[in-house]
Amino acid sequence: MLDSIPSETFIEVAQGVIGDSVFSVPKSTSWESIGAAHADLRTVAVVRYSSTAETQNGTKRWSSVVKVVDSAEEAGGYAHASRPESEIQIYENDYLTRPSVPFRPAKCYKIGNPLDSVKMIWLEDLTGAVQPPWGPDLYLKVANHLGSFNGHFATHPIELPFDVPVDIFAKKRALGALPDGLERLDKYRDSDEVRRAYANVDIELPWRFAELFREITDLVKGFDHCISFGDAHARNIFPLEHETVGIDWANVAYDPIGTDVGLLAGSALTQHPEEVAMAAANQRQIFDSYLEGLRSAGWHGNADQIRLASLAQMGAYLTYQMLLPSDLASGMLEGLREGYRIRAGVELEELPEKTIPVISLLPGIIDEIEELLG
């Protein structure tokens, strides 16, 4: 498929990238597969193309990242709320870019349709941006820009010309996993894995957190909503000098204001140990920076509601981590050994220690939620 792309496509994309009239692009190609396997199995490839172009001002280098989506493929279990057709419209029509907002979708130069079910989305090349794991400064910057984005669309609401799901934050698998997960935690509470992870935390706290997590998930559905990125983890985000760019907009939603930052901070709690420790130590500062971004965009609402919404989203990731030690003790993670090496940078036997910074958040988070609920 890549080898059959017409020269006119390369010329059109090169002109968009360079911003200059392009006369020709060499036939030679330079394709490079980038990124890990995508959670949505309809994304069948992400590749980087680089070349030169002959312009009226001489030879110039250019590059683009191409996302290939095949709607004929099954989405896969982790993409239950993903809508590639929405992402394509967002890119094609640039619905969510505003000059005054420092968070935007990636630039799109062309959307090709080489086969009936296949779309090729030619995007700006962001591979030169700082890649995660980030330090706290970058997380604070990204959170602030994300807050500006949510704040703008909270104070300047728009109606997108396609069906936008509501409350996808509440469709996380964590809620459904709680009954069986807590049963396993009770069964294996005396295992070595659980004892190591809960050495400094009361083993009874997960049950109280589960009650509060369910309560605030239902509660925040009634809070103010806005257009939300919906998949704001660091691997979808590229901080540049004065702005931040997001990719993978297939989960855009009308969600409670604050859920985006809950995902940003919460997803970091599942990554490599140094990122987990950083996010656990700075999750409140990340939220505060997001809140500043909201206010800078003209939003002046109830900050307690925003915090509860962020915790309702972050709670999914807390749930996964607080149940990991007993999942490990039960043997159910054995088939995922290679995945944990790649995603989390640890062997299964090291997981209890990896979860300690997250589990250590439980007492403070429980106290905070109880105080916010009054």
Side-chain angles (χ1 to χ4, degrees):
M1 185 190 308
L2 298 176
D3 293 335
S4 63
I5 296 171
S7 58
E8 292 80 8
T9 293
F10 293 120
I11 290 173
E12 181 181 347
V13 175
Q15 285 185 161
V17 175
I18 296 170
D20 197 356
S21 295
V22 172
F23 305 129
S24 65
V25 173
K27 289 289 184 182
S28 60
T29 61
S30 176
W31 295 102
E32 174 192 1
S33 179
I34 60 174
H38 203 280
D40 188 335
L41 301 181
R42 289 168 294 188
T43 297
V44 296
V46 179
V47 295
R48 180 179 182 270
Y49 177 82
S50 61
S51 184
T52 59
E54 297 301 322
T55 77
Q56 61 186 358
N57 293 305
T59 303
K60 296 185 178 180
R61 291 208 63 82
W62 66 279
S63 60
S64 175
V65 169
V66 187
K67 180 175 182 177
V68 185
V69 178
D70 187 348
S71 60
E73 296 287 336
E74 293 292 330
Y78 289 97
H80 57 280
S82 181
R83 300 187 180 193
E85 65 277 11
S86 300
E87 177 181 38
I88 288 168
Q89 289 199 55
I90 287 168
Y91 282 137
E92 193 167 34
N93 299 288
D94 205 17
Y95 288 130
L96 300 179
T97 299
R98 299 291 185 274
S100 63
V101 178
F103 190 95
R104 62 170 175 84
K107 296 173 185 174
C108 180
Y109 304 113
K110 181 178 177 63
I111 296 179
N113 193 190
L115 299 172
D116 287 345
S117 64
V118 176
K119 297 283 190 182
M120 296 183 69
I121 310 169
W122 294 76
L123 301 170
E124 68 179 296
D125 182 1
L126 297 161
T127 56
V130 179
Q131 304 294 305
W134 304 325
D137 288 350
L138 268 185
Y139 265 97
L140 296 180
K141 173 183 176 179
V142 167
N144 185 270
H145 290 177
L146 189 59
S148 296
F149 174 83
N150 288 156
H152 175 86
F153 288 106
T155 55
H156 301 81
I158 63 170
E159 184 173 343
L160 292 169
F162 51 84
D163 184 36
V164 179
V166 179
D167 291 334
I168 64 168
F169 85 98
K171 297 178 175 63
K172 293 287 185 185
R173 290 184 170 196
L175 282 169
L178 271 171
D180 289 346
L182 290 172
E183 184 177 335
R184 274 192 303 276
L185 182 59
D186 191 38
K187 180 178 180 179
Y188 292 99
R189 64 166 61 213
D190 293 322
S191 67
D192 176 66
E193 293 87 349
V194 172
R195 285 182 177 275
R196 283 154 55 198
Y198 282 85
N200 299 308
V201 173
D202 184 352
I203 190 61
E204 302 300 328
L205 287 184
W207 281 266
R208 178 55 180 153
F209 176 76
E211 293 173 358
L212 293 169
F213 179 36
R214 292 188 186 100
E215 182 177 353
I216 64 173
T217 296
D218 288 336
L219 177 66
V220 304
K221 291 176 185 177
F223 292 172
D224 289 342
H225 286 49
C226 70
I227 289 177
S228 301
F229 183 10
D231 202 10
H233 65 78
R235 277 74 188 163
N236 279 346
I237 294 175
F238 299 83
L240 305 179
E241 185 176 2
H242 299 299
E243 62 179 346
T244 299
V245 180
I247 62 169
D248 285 356
W249 289 82
N251 288 284
V252 70
Y254 289 116
D255 267 2
I257 305 169
T259 53
D260 267 346
V261 73
L263 200 156
L264 177 67
S267 60
L269 298 174
T270 69
Q271 295 293 334
H272 285 236
E274 65 273 18
E275 197 166 356
V276 171
M278 182 285 306
N282 292 279
Q283 54 86 20
R284 179 67 206 207
Q285 291 91 325
I286 291 170
F287 171 80
D288 289 341
S289 185
Y290 171 84
L291 192 61
E292 289 176 8
L294 275 178
R295 289 169 171 158
S296 73
W299 175 90
H300 300 291
N302 186 322
D304 288 349
Q305 291 187 358
I306 306 305
R307 179 58 174 167
L308 280 171
S310 76
L311 292 171
Q313 178 70 289
M314 192 169 77
Y317 299 95
L318 284 167
T319 296
Y320 294 137
Q321 297 302 294
M322 76 183 190
L323 298 177
L324 263 183
S326 49
D327 290 348
L328 177 63
S330 74
M332 65 182 289
L333 301 183
E334 188 58 42
L336 303 175
R337 181 174 292 274
E338 185 60 25
Y340 275 100
R341 283 183 186 137
I342 295 170
R343 178 182 174 85
V346 295
E347 296 295 329
L348 288 182
E349 293 75 16
E350 300 170 313
L351 279 178
E353 283 67 37
K354 177 181 177 288
T355 63
I356 288 174
V358 185
I359 290 171
S360 296
L361 291 175
L362 285 174
I365 293 293
I366 289 171
D367 288 347
E368 183 180 4
I369 293 174
E370 289 177 338
E371 182 177 349
L372 288 168
L373 292 176

